Amino acid sequence: MNILERYHAMDYAPAPEARTEADAWLAGRDFAKALFIAGDWRAGFDGRSFDTADPSTGKVLAKVSEAGAADIEAAVAAARKALPKWSALSGYERARVLYAIGRAMQRHQRLFAVLESLDNGKPIRESRDIDVPLAIRHFIHHAGWAQSLASEFPGRRAAGVVGQIIPWNFPLLMLAWKIAPALATGCTVVLKPAEFTPLTAILFAEICERAGVPRGVVNIVQGGPEAGAAIVNHPGIDKIAFTGSSEVGKIIRKATAGSGKKLSLELGGKSAFIVFEDADLDSAVEGLVDGIWFNQGQVCCAGSRLLVQESVAEAFIAKVKTRMSRLRVGSPLDKNTDIGPLVDRTQLDRVRRLVEEGARQGAVCWQPDHEVPQTGYYHLPTLATGVAPANILAQEEVFGPVLATMSFRTTEEAVELANNTRYGLAASVWSETINLALHVAPQLEAGVVWVNGTNMFDAACGFGGYRESGFGREGGREGLEEYLAPSEPHGPVIKPAAPRAAARDNGEAHGIDRTAKLFIGGKQVRPDGNYSLPVFTPKGKLAGEVGLGSRKDIRDAVSAARACKAWPEATAYNRAQVLYYLAENLSGRTEEFAARISELTGAAHKAAKAEVEASIERLFWYAGMADKFEGRVHQPPARAVTLALNEPVGVIGIVAPDEAPLLGLVSLVAPALAMGNTVVLVPSATAPLVATDLYQVIEYSDVPAGAINIVTGHTGELAAVLARHDDVDGLWVVAEADICAQAEAESIGNLKRVWTGHGRSLDWQTAQGDAFLRRATEVKNVWVPYGD
């Protein structure tokens, strides 16, 4: 046999990773006491346990103690007790602990990697080279944040006791994403790993003991849904951070509604992998392997929808099939393995059902001719072609090694197909024309976009999604903010406004009747139901009438806001000019608005005028910030830069307060507009004429039609309609506690971003700053590689 023949005949011999140390750790550990609470190892109060198994063989690795409600109670109590002292430490003192954790993990990183592959089934190359090093990176990176917290986030404080629930696909990495920023900000933690993959969390708790983490600061409780529910519902927890399915995320959103808990959700995805005709096809194929077959496709941001330009589709699919035929399926501890087993039998059965249903709906499912190991939960890599956009494989998160393929002709069609999903986590764009790639990236409704790459992560760069992929971010500056308490100046508790009855001698209003209409799409329109509401002064005098808005009126207003492209597409400088113009035109009617506020609220004329002047000043401030609240450029330890772009949330519903009816309204609407959002506003129910008087100011201030829409009516009813509307992307509510809670609970349809005052008003005189600008933006991280 000559050299060329030997080269073509060459195959990979087994290269098994030694598991001696991992087996010794498993044999030497008492898993009957695997709950780490207040620095002690405990068994569960009720003595229950569960098995964790090796997915490649189905053999049990350990029988682990299971936490119940009583154990969660103990863990929360420990975290609450440790909170004051931990949060009072200097940033430097917390930084030393975080750094010690990272260094201790480095010393044991091979053991972490082997345990991760044994427990999860992912190939050892991925655990060893990606998961564990990146987990370590998060702790060392956040040590720096801990020390710089006071200067970078002045006036902010730790959110408090944090309940964290993580999934089984990246057990150690998700733990690091959650615990590192929590500890850096001074929070204490109760973390529940997934019941399929508890082992590396237990080893991490041992690391915490060695690294000098104070007792009660980190509590790790193994368990299933009962333990998770106990964490979510516990009144002693101030923030919930969850990574998992969108279905469970919606349950958590509803369960925490009205509780006042901070909430961040990193959920599912159906990410587009877009290949343009000028792409380096061979590089794109390798990127696709990482995009969909990394971790057996059990990745929330997996590039599971391949969109390839029609002119190169046939050639590209042929290359993909060739590459798939060379993927090695086998033991996760073999260093040559590309695809290991799925995590559990239930996951394997689910993937099989979805593939069968996709085929029934018309997809052609192809698999390479590989042998599958006789034991374990293996599924061959699968390529589905002929996939219609409505096919289940194009719409549902499979969470397995299954790729759905579609073609497109134009850039516009590619963007439309990519955005044809209820998710919005990530996307990849492949093109050798950087102008094209950076033209497409901002149009994709996804929190992360990789250009000529995929599955790139770093502790310095935020990660998270839009829509049903959740809200909040992991990593980076924005991820750290999830663990800091808000800094708004709180006002009094909002109580239901007492109904204002007409005075006995009031009679009809004098003069020509002018019932204020609604303001939708740049026009004054009658309410759909043709009903109106009387507006009385505090003394019972009829000040006028306003339209009684309904669900149909909110629907029309949202449609007008969604159709307004001129405002979000305007430059920040143009938006600033319009807001300045609004302020200028409002200032010309200061006396008129002061008189109206005085009439409707009973405030003295001097105080009413001061409110108008403060509103003008606030418009000026947000106008000035429109082109200054900018994104950032991150430099991860890779040949890439990450552009953290601030983008508008979209359509924001705003329910304004009765208190300070003009200043409260302006303080909410101005930051939303400054960042390029369009607005559907429900103004004060007791003083709605203050808002309707703004119609003319808006009309002659060059505000595009649909940028601001105003619907008057009953606050609670209209807030609920906005919460349920799936074309509303964000909702801000300042109202009574029950209205706020209902808005949060009703928002689960599309998991819109909701902020409420939790039944409290703000001090509107000082409620100015970056907080509402942050709420008015989504941060999109665009990764751009460079070099050869």
Side-chain angles (χ1 to χ4, degrees):
M1 182 180 290
N2 60 37
I3 293 176
L4 184 60
E5 289 171 334
R6 288 179 182 275
Y7 175 78
H8 286 298
M10 187 168 57
D11 199 0
Y12 288 87
E17 172 75 23
R19 53 179 290 175
T20 309
E21 293 296 326
D23 285 334
W25 182 83
L26 288 166
R29 184 131 219 348
D30 181 6
F31 289 100
K33 294 182 178 179
L35 306 182
F36 186 67
I37 299 173
D40 296 325
W41 293 99
R42 307 182 184 183
F45 275 103
D46 57 11
R48 289 184 300 176
S49 63
F50 63 92
D51 293 340
T52 184
D54 179 348
S56 67
T57 64
K59 293 181 179 178
V60 173
L61 295 168
K63 187 177 288 291
V64 180
S65 52
E66 181 175 2
D71 304 296
I72 301 304
E73 185 68 43
V76 174
R80 179 63 61 188
K81 182 179 179 181
L83 178 64
K85 188 173 181 180
W86 176 249
S87 59
L89 291 178
S90 70
Y92 168 63
E93 290 171 306
R94 289 199 302 273
R96 286 176 61 93
V97 173
L98 282 158
Y99 179 73
I101 291 172
R103 290 290 288 125
M105 291 176 71
Q106 282 181 327
R107 291 194 295 274
H108 298 279
Q109 58 184 320
R110 200 69 171 213
L111 176 58
F112 271 113
V114 176
L115 281 175
E116 196 81 326
S117 290
L118 282 172
D119 207 15
N120 169 277
K122 65 177 59 188
I124 186 64
R125 285 187 291 116
E126 295 176 10
S127 299
R128 180 195 65 199
D129 299 341
I130 300 172
D131 291 27
V132 177
L134 190 51
I136 294 166
R137 157 84 170 142
H138 271 265
F139 283 98
I140 294 177
H141 174 80
H142 282 90
W145 273 124
Q147 197 163 356
S148 60
L149 203 66
S151 60
E152 291 293 324
F153 301 92
R156 307 286 289 280
R157 59 179 176 80
V161 175
V162 179
Q164 301 176 322
I165 302 171
I166 59 174
W168 44 258
N169 57 337
F170 290 92
L172 183 65
L173 185 54
M174 294 295 101
L175 177 151
W177 281 20
K178 296 285 191 289
I179 291 183
L183 298 189
T185 54
C187 297
T188 54
V189 169
V190 176
L191 179 136
K192 188 194 86 68
E195 56 269 41
F196 287 154
T197 52
L199 296 182
T200 48
I202 295 170
L203 177 58
F204 175 81
E206 293 181 1
I207 293 292
C208 289
E209 285 185 294
R210 300 171 195 169
V213 178
R215 296 166 70 88
V217 170
V218 173
N219 304 273
I220 295 180
V221 286
Q222 327 296 332
E226 179 188 338
I231 290 173
V232 169
N233 295 314
H234 199 292
I237 285 180
D238 303 296
K239 173 187 165 56
I240 297 293
F242 172 76
T243 296
S245 72
S246 297
E247 291 72 24
V248 176
K250 291 180 179 183
I251 293 170
I252 292 173
R253 165 73 281 184
K254 193 163 187 175
T256 57
S259 67
K261 295 174 182 174
K262 287 198 73 174
L263 178 64
S264 55
L265 300 173
E266 195 265 286
L267 307 176
K270 196 66 185 174
S271 301
F273 190 101
I274 308 171
V275 180
F276 286 96
E277 60 188 357
D278 68 337
D280 179 338
L281 298 187
D282 292 325
S283 294
V285 169
E286 292 307 309
L288 187 62
V289 169
D290 282 341
I292 182 58
W293 292 302
F294 174 59
N295 197 23
Q296 294 74 254
Q298 299 170 131
V299 184
C300 55
C301 56
S304 55
R305 289 186 300 142
L306 170 62
L307 311 178
V308 58
Q309 198 151 20
E310 194 174 88
S311 56
V312 295
E314 185 177 347
F316 188 75
I317 295 300
K319 288 177 178 288
V320 171
K321 288 183 175 180
T322 299
R323 185 66 177 86
M324 288 174 69
S325 67
R326 294 171 182 164
L327 292 172
R328 295 176 294 277
V329 180
S331 167
L333 289 185
D334 189 332
K335 300 182 186 71
N336 295 320
T337 293
D338 296 306
I339 296 180
L342 299 180
V343 73
D344 185 76
R345 168 66 64 183
T346 56
Q347 183 64 14
L348 176 61
D349 291 342
R350 180 180 184 275
V351 172
R352 285 173 174 171
R353 285 196 305 270
L354 286 169
V355 171
E356 289 171 3
E357 178 60 22
R360 193 190 67 79
Q361 294 180 10
V364 177
C365 296
W366 181 88
Q367 296 176 332
D369 185 18
H370 287 324
E371 288 188 13
V372 176
Q374 295 300 306
T375 61
Y377 312 124
Y378 290 88
H379 192 286
L380 285 173
T382 303
L383 174 67
T385 55
V387 177
N391 189 293
I392 195 170
L393 296 179
Q395 291 297 322
E396 293 299 322
E397 185 179 36
V398 176
F399 226 61
V402 181
L403 177 65
T405 304
M406 292 170 276
S407 64
F408 65 89
R409 292 182 179 179
T410 66
T411 300
E412 293 73 22
E413 186 183 0
V415 171
E416 186 175 359
L417 282 170
N419 291 336
N420 180 35
T421 173
R422 67 182 189 273
Y423 299 107
L425 190 53
S428 295
V429 181
W430 292 77
S431 170
E432 289 297 285
T433 306
I434 196 65
N435 283 350
L436 174 61
L438 294 181
H439 168 68
V440 169
Q443 299 181 65
L444 300 176
E445 295 173 1
V448 180
V449 179
W450 296 292
V451 173
N452 293 332
T454 191
N455 280 340
M456 293 184 279
F457 309 99
D458 187 63
C461 307
F463 178 85
Y466 298 178
R467 300 186 292 190
E468 290 193 36
S469 289
F471 45 78
R473 293 292 182 265
E474 308 275 358
R477 185 186 182 91
E478 54 267 35
L480 200 72
E481 287 179 347
E482 298 294 335
Y483 293 91
L484 293 169
S487 56
E488 288 98 353
H490 287 295
V493 172
I494 299 174
K495 298 179 180 179
R500 293 176 177 177
R504 283 181 181 275
D505 60 346
N506 190 45
E508 291 294 325
H510 297 290
I512 300 173
D513 175 57
R514 285 194 63 215
T515 300
K517 301 181 180 69
L518 311 181
F519 189 71
I520 297 175
K523 299 177 182 179
Q524 298 185 45
V525 298
R526 296 185 186 279
D528 179 69
N530 276 319
Y531 285 99
S532 60
L533 284 175
V535 180
F536 295 107
T537 70
K539 294 181 178 180
K541 179 183 177 182
L542 182 64
E545 293 183 297
V546 295
L548 177 58
S550 65
R551 181 175 62 89
K552 175 63 164 59
D553 298 309
I554 290 290
R555 232 168 53 208
D556 292 342
V558 172
S559 294
R562 180 67 64 189
C564 176
K565 303 299 182 186
W567 188 250
E569 292 175 1
T571 66
Y573 174 56
N574 289 152
R575 295 197 300 271
Q577 286 180 302
V578 172
L579 289 172
Y580 278 129
Y581 201 18
L582 269 171
E584 177 186 335
N585 290 328
L586 179 59
S587 69
R589 298 175 62 174
T590 299
E591 289 296 333
E592 175 187 338
F593 275 88
R596 179 68 91 179
I597 292 170
S598 182
E599 175 191 25
L600 295 177
T601 67
H605 181 77
K606 183 178 180 180
K609 186 175 180 179
E611 181 178 339
V612 179
E613 290 173 344
S615 301
I616 296 165
E617 182 181 351
R618 191 128 311 158
L619 279 168
F620 252 72
W621 193 85
Y622 283 115
M625 291 302 296
D627 59 356
K628 297 175 184 63
F629 192 74
E630 300 173 310
R632 296 169 177 266
V633 178
H634 301 302
Q635 294 179 282
R639 292 189 307 166
V641 292
T642 306
L643 312 177
L645 307 176
N646 283 342
E647 295 188 334
V649 171
V651 177
I652 295 182
I654 294 177
V655 179
D658 289 334
E659 183 189 17
L662 181 62
L663 182 56
L665 180 158
V666 167
S667 297
L668 296 170
V669 170
L673 292 176
M675 295 295 97
N677 300 282
T678 55
V679 169
V680 177
L681 170 69
V682 177
S684 162
T686 59
L689 292 171
V690 174
T692 62
D693 287 350
L694 283 172
Y695 294 173
Q696 286 185 339
V697 177
I698 296 169
E699 286 171 335
Y700 54 69
S701 295
D702 293 341
V703 179
I708 307 175
N709 306 273
I710 301 176
V711 180
T712 53
H714 298 304
T715 297
E717 293 177 9
L718 298 181
V721 175
L722 284 168
R724 288 191 292 266
H725 201 303
D726 286 350
D727 258 356
V728 175
D729 304 297
L731 179 60
W732 302 348
V733 181
V734 184
E736 302 98 282
D738 59 338
I739 294 176
C740 293
Q742 183 186 21
E744 291 179 336
E746 300 272 8
S747 70
I748 63 172
N750 67 340
L751 282 173
K752 59 177 60 65
R753 292 176 55 176
V754 179
W755 172 83
T756 75
H758 301 297
R760 298 181 69 96
S761 187
L762 298 184
D763 178 357
W764 298 109
Q765 292 294 329
T766 57
Q768 172 181 293
D770 290 353
F772 279 106
L773 294 173
R774 287 194 300 272
R775 292 190 186 104
T777 54
E778 292 274 19
V779 180
K780 172 180 287 181
N781 282 272
V782 180
W783 289 69
V784 184
Y786 58 81
D788 295 332

